[in-house]
Amino acid sequence: MSTSAGGAHTRAHWPTPSQWPVWLAPLFVALFQVGGSFGAQSGGEGRGPQGGPWGDDGPWGHTGAHDYPFQPLDAFGVVLLLAGPAVLLLRRRRPVLTMVLAWLVTGLYFLRGYVMGPAAVSAGVALLGVVLAGRRVIAWGGAFAALTGYFALTAVIGVPLERRGHADTLFPVEEPDLVTITVTVTWALVVLTAAELIRMRGQKLAEAARTRAEEAKRRASEERLRIARELHDVLAHNISMINVQAGVALHLLDDDPGPAGTAAARTALAAIKEASKEALTEMRSVIGVLRSQGESAPRSPTAGLARLEDLLDRARSAGLDVRAEITGERRPLPAGTDLAAYRIVQESLTNVSRHAGPGPVTVRVRIGYGEHEIRVRVEDDGRGVSLLDDHAGGSGISGMRERAAALGGTFAAGPRPGGGFAVRATLPITEEPAPEAPADASTTAARGPDTPGSTE
C-alpha cells in the first residue's frame, strides 16, 4: 500500500440507516406488512371457523377445542397496514408523534380481529426511532402504557377466542390471557432492548470517530509546530544577515563612494539578494501547511544533508546496519529541499528503529541528485510498520508527506514485496518552489507574483 502527496485513499462504506432516504424504510415496512399479512391469511384459509394460521393451535400455543379465527383482510385492513408505514415518514422530525400514531394504527388493526402477521413492524420501527432520538423514558413508558391500555380495553370488550374475528361486533378481539400478555410484553422488551443496543453502538462509533479526528488534528498540529520552529530559525538567520549586510552596504556607499567602496557594496547587496531569495523560498515551501506560530526559536542549527553522516552514525550506534549510497553531483540545495530530505531520512530511520523488530536490521539509504530533483529512498529488511495501524507510525508518515507536498514533490511509503518497509520521496531542486495547489485566498495573497525579480 502506498500513498502520494497529492491523493488519499478512501474506502467505500454502505450508508447507515440514518443516511437512507426518508421514504425507503417505510416502503420496505409497507411491502413486508401487506405481503406478510396476506401470506399469513392464505396459509390459514380453511382452518377454524374463519380460517386460522395456526390450525388447531392458538396464536400463542392455545390447544384443544380452540381454533384461531380471524376476520379476512378488507379494504380498511389494508389501509391500516399501509397507514403504519406512512406515519414513519415523520419519524426523523417528530419521533414521539410517529410512535403514538403507529401504535394507534397497530392497536386498531388488532382490535378489528384481522389476521396475525407482521402488522406490528411499523410500531416496532417507530419505537426504535424514539429510542435513537434520545427520548428513552418516553419510549419505555409509552410502550408499556400502550400495552397496559390495550389489554385493559380488550379485557372489557374482548370476546372468547373462538369468536375472534366474527363480523357481528365492531371490535371482535379476543380476551387477553396470560400467554398472550407474556408474549406481547416480551416482544416489546426485545424491541426496546435492541433499540438500546443500537443506540449505544451508535454512540460508541461516534465517540471513536471524534477521538480519531481529534488525534489526527493533534498530530497535524504537532507537525506544523515543528515546521514553524524550523521556519523561524531559517527566517531569523537570513533576516539578521540581510539587516547586517544592508547596514554595511549603506555605510560603504556613504563613506567610500569610489570604485572600491562600490564593489564592496555590490558584494553586500548580492549577499542580501541571495539571503532574501533563500528565506522567501523557505517561507513559500511551508506556507501551505503552516497554520500555527508562537514558538521560540530553537538553539540548534538548521538540519540538512550536510549533517547526513552524523545522522547515520547515530542510527548505527542504535544497532542498525546502515548503508548509504549517494549518486549524482552532490551540491548545496535550497533550504526547504535540503531540510525536507534530511527530515525524511531522519524520520525513516526513527521508524525503522521503532518498528523493524528484533534481530539485525539492514537499512539502505539512497540519495540521488538529479538535475532538477533529488530522490530519497530508505529501505529496511525488518518487520516494518503497518500503515493500517492508526498509532503505529505516530505522525511521522503524515509529517513526511506534508513536507514533500509543501515543496511540490511526491511521497510514497509502504511494505516491500520481499519484506521490510520502504520510504520514497522525490523533491524538486529549484530556486523557486514548485507550483502548489491553491489552498485559500490568504495563501495566494501571501505568495505574491512568481517572478525571479519579485521583492514581495
Side-chain angles (χ1 to χ4, degrees):
M1 173 181 176
S2 66
T3 57
S4 62
H9 293 283
T10 58
R11 292 184 298 176
H13 295 279
W14 286 103
T16 61
S18 62
Q19 297 172 323
W20 292 354
V22 70
W23 52 265
L24 189 58
L27 176 62
F28 286 154
V29 173
L31 293 175
F32 185 66
Q33 285 194 167
V34 174
S37 297
F38 274 104
Q41 177 172 279
S42 298
E45 287 180 356
R47 301 184 183 182
Q50 299 282 339
W54 286 272
D56 292 334
D57 294 336
W60 315 121
H62 295 283
T63 58
H66 295 295
D67 289 325
Y68 189 65
F70 57 82
Q71 178 169 283
L73 282 171
D74 52 18
F76 185 62
V78 174
V79 168
L80 292 176
L81 289 174
L82 293 175
V87 300
L88 294 179
L89 294 172
L90 303 173
R91 69 190 185 280
R92 294 180 182 173
R93 291 180 297 171
R94 305 290 298 274
V96 175
L97 176 62
T98 300
M99 181 186 72
V100 172
L101 294 178
W103 279 64
L104 285 176
V105 169
T106 304
L108 183 57
Y109 176 89
F110 287 115
L111 288 174
R112 288 284 295 162
Y114 292 119
V115 63
M116 289 289 188
V121 173
S122 58
V125 173
L127 189 61
L128 173 67
V130 174
V131 174
L132 296 183
R135 314 292 289 274
R136 301 168 58 203
V137 174
I138 294 179
W140 284 83
F144 286 103
L147 292 179
T148 301
Y150 176 82
F151 287 124
L153 179 61
T154 56
V156 175
I157 68 172
V159 298
L161 180 62
E162 62 271 12
R163 294 192 54 78
R164 183 187 189 275
H166 283 245
D168 53 354
T169 61
L170 180 61
F171 297 113
V173 60
E174 75 276 16
E175 298 170 335
D177 58 20
L178 182 60
V179 176
T180 303
I181 294 174
T182 301
V183 172
T184 306
V185 171
T186 301
W187 171 84
L189 285 173
V190 169
V191 173
L192 287 167
T193 303
E196 292 288 354
L197 292 175
I198 294 172
R199 182 188 64 83
M200 290 187 291
R201 173 65 175 170
Q203 289 181 340
K204 183 177 179 181
L205 291 176
E207 181 62 29
R210 284 194 296 270
T211 301
R212 287 194 299 269
E214 291 172 0
E215 182 70 10
K217 185 177 180 180
R218 182 189 64 80
R219 292 177 182 174
S221 264
E222 290 176 353
E223 182 60 29
R224 287 163 182 162
L225 278 174
R226 286 195 292 269
I227 296 174
R229 296 188 196 103
E230 294 160 359
L231 178 60
H232 182 281
D233 190 40
V234 171
L235 289 179
H237 170 75
N238 286 285
I239 296 301
S240 297
M241 190 183 73
I242 290 171
N243 182 64
V244 172
Q245 293 293 342
V248 170
L250 288 173
H251 176 74
L252 290 172
L253 289 175
D254 290 339
D255 294 353
D256 189 3
T262 302
R266 182 182 296 274
T267 301
L269 291 173
I272 290 174
K273 178 183 178 181
E274 191 64 29
S276 62
K277 182 180 294 185
E278 183 178 355
L280 181 61
T281 298
E282 178 69 16
M283 182 181 67
R284 285 179 173 177
S285 68
V286 298
I287 200 170
V289 294
L290 182 61
R291 292 294 183 271
S292 59
Q293 56 184 348
E295 291 291 307
S296 59
R299 300 295 182 182
S300 59
T302 302
L305 290 180
R307 299 169 55 194
L308 180 63
E309 287 302 323
D310 294 338
L311 177 63
L312 300 182
D313 288 340
R314 288 197 299 271
R316 293 185 183 107
S317 67
L320 299 177
D321 180 12
V322 183
R323 304 175 186 179
E325 177 184 348
I326 299 178
T327 60
E329 180 185 359
R330 191 168 185 175
R331 60 191 186 276
L333 300 173
T337 304
D338 195 23
L339 179 60
Y342 178 88
R343 293 301 188 198
I344 288 173
V345 175
Q346 182 184 50
E347 189 62 39
S348 299
L349 293 174
T350 301
N351 284 342
V352 172
S353 65
R354 289 178 178 175
H355 306 290
V361 178
T362 300
V363 186
R364 290 178 174 81
V365 179
R366 295 184 175 90
I367 308 293
Y369 288 81
E371 183 178 358
H372 301 294
E373 62 185 18
I374 181 170
R375 295 177 298 279
V376 179
R377 187 180 183 96
V378 182
E379 298 178 336
D380 69 85
D381 57 4
R383 185 175 64 233
V385 56
S386 173
L387 292 181
L388 299 178
D389 187 351
D390 288 342
H391 301 281
S395 59
I397 290 178
S398 62
M400 290 187 283
R401 185 181 300 113
E402 284 189 1
R403 291 182 184 275
L407 294 168
T410 60
F411 175 84
R416 298 173 58 210
F421 201 79
V423 172
R424 299 174 296 278
T426 302
L427 309 174
I429 301 178
T430 55
E431 291 190 349
E432 298 293 334
E436 300 176 42
D440 50 42
S442 61
T443 299
T444 304
R447 283 172 148 184
D450 278 337
T451 58
S454 172
T455 59
E456 293 191 12

